[in-house]
């Protein structure tokens, strides 16, 4: 039925437009990065994946859970987490309010890493996007020493570490979060299985 088919197509197009408009446009109408590009010389040995992420980014929360599942048991892959908050309070590339408070959350992640608790703090912060529970409550729940945590948040060395992460991201031309750099090549979006070699003794990856 041509009329019904056209109506369904229009409804589908409208739905896609609504979903697309619900998500933030991360940059001030900048052109997207021109495809994968080398970020550094690929190291020999184990695969190195560098994750650039933003704790307030809904796509990052989704990709975080997917990457955890993908890398579970992959001792041949080293994951290095870096922060790229889309917050003008600390990121010079951001010219408007996108994710206010993301800089503070990135500092919290760095301070959790200092106490050896980055992984549980990552989980706690990403899963807190909707609830917005106080940061110190999350820190307590993951077992951080609160006095050390507070001192770390205010320390100039922590801010310098965050700036180093942001500079590294800008240096490889990152335009969106999350972005994964796999053995020196940047890939915006989720970490697909096809970006990794097959696990030792396992079948080859077939898709993202």
């Amino acid at each position: 039925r041509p009329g019904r088919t056209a109506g369904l197509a229009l409804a589908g197009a409208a739905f896609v437009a609504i979903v697309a408009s619900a998500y933030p446009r991360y940059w001030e109408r900048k052109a997207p990065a021109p495809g994968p590009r080398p970020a550094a010389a690929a190291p020999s040995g184990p695969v190195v994946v560098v994750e650039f992420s933003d704790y307030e980014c809904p796509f990052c929360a989704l990709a975080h859970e997917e990457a955890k599942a993908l890398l579970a048991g992959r001792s041949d892959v080293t994951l290095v987490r870096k922060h790229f908050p889309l917050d003008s309070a600390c990121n010079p590339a951001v010219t408007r309010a996108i994710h206010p408070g993301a800089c503070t959350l990135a500092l919290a992640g760095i301070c959790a890493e200092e106490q050896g608790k980055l992984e549980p703090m990552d989980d706690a912060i990403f899963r807190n996007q909707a609830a917005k529970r106080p940061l110190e409550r999350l820190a307590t729940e993951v077992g951080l020493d609160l006095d050390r945590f507070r001192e770390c948040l205010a320390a100039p060395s922590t801010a310098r570490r965050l700036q180093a992460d942001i500079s590294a991201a800008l240096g490889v031309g990152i335009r969106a979060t999350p972005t994964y750099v796999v053995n020196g090549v940047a890939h915006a979006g989720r970490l697909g299985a096809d970006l990794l070699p097959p696990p030792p003794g396992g079948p080859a990856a077939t898709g993202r």
Side-chain angles (χ1 to χ4, degrees):
R1 298 178 182 178
R4 183 178 179 185
T5 302
L8 288 174
L10 288 173
F15 176 75
V16 169
I18 291 169
V19 170
S21 66
Y23 291 101
R25 295 179 180 179
Y26 289 145
W27 304 99
E28 292 287 356
R29 299 188 181 278
K30 291 182 180 178
R37 54 180 288 179
S44 59
V47 177
V48 177
V49 176
V50 182
E51 174 192 76
F52 288 96
S53 192
D54 174 336
Y55 284 129
E56 289 284 12
C57 160
F59 296 120
C60 296
L62 212 38
H64 171 74
E65 295 296 337
E66 290 182 347
K68 279 182 61 179
L70 179 64
L71 298 179
R74 291 296 302 262
S75 59
D76 60 315
V77 178
T78 299
L79 178 65
V80 178
R81 291 185 174 91
K82 291 187 180 292
H83 304 278
F84 192 66
L86 299 176
D87 180 356
S88 58
C90 65
N91 191 334
V94 178
T95 58
R96 60 190 174 92
I98 300 175
H99 291 156
C103 292
T104 298
L105 295 178
L107 295 173
I110 292 169
C111 291
E113 184 176 14
E114 188 177 90
Q115 295 191 39
K117 298 283 187 178
L118 176 58
E119 189 168 340
M121 193 62 161
D122 262 357
D123 292 343
I125 295 177
F126 276 125
R127 293 168 186 172
N128 191 47
Q129 282 185 351
K132 304 291 185 187
R133 293 188 298 150
L135 192 53
E136 287 198 357
R137 184 180 301 176
L138 301 183
T140 300
E141 289 174 357
V142 303
L144 296 183
D145 180 312
L146 278 185
D147 288 337
R148 285 180 59 193
F149 180 67
R150 293 173 185 135
E151 289 175 6
C152 178
L153 286 177
S157 59
T158 308
R160 287 195 296 270
R161 157 67 196 280
L162 176 55
Q163 286 305 310
D165 282 4
I166 292 170
S167 295
L170 296 176
V172 299
I174 285 178
R175 292 289 182 270
T177 55
T179 291
Y180 293 90
V181 181
V182 183
N183 275 353
V185 180
H187 305 267
R190 58 188 286 260
L191 181 64
D194 61 320
L195 299 180
L196 304 174
T206 57
R208 294 182 72 169

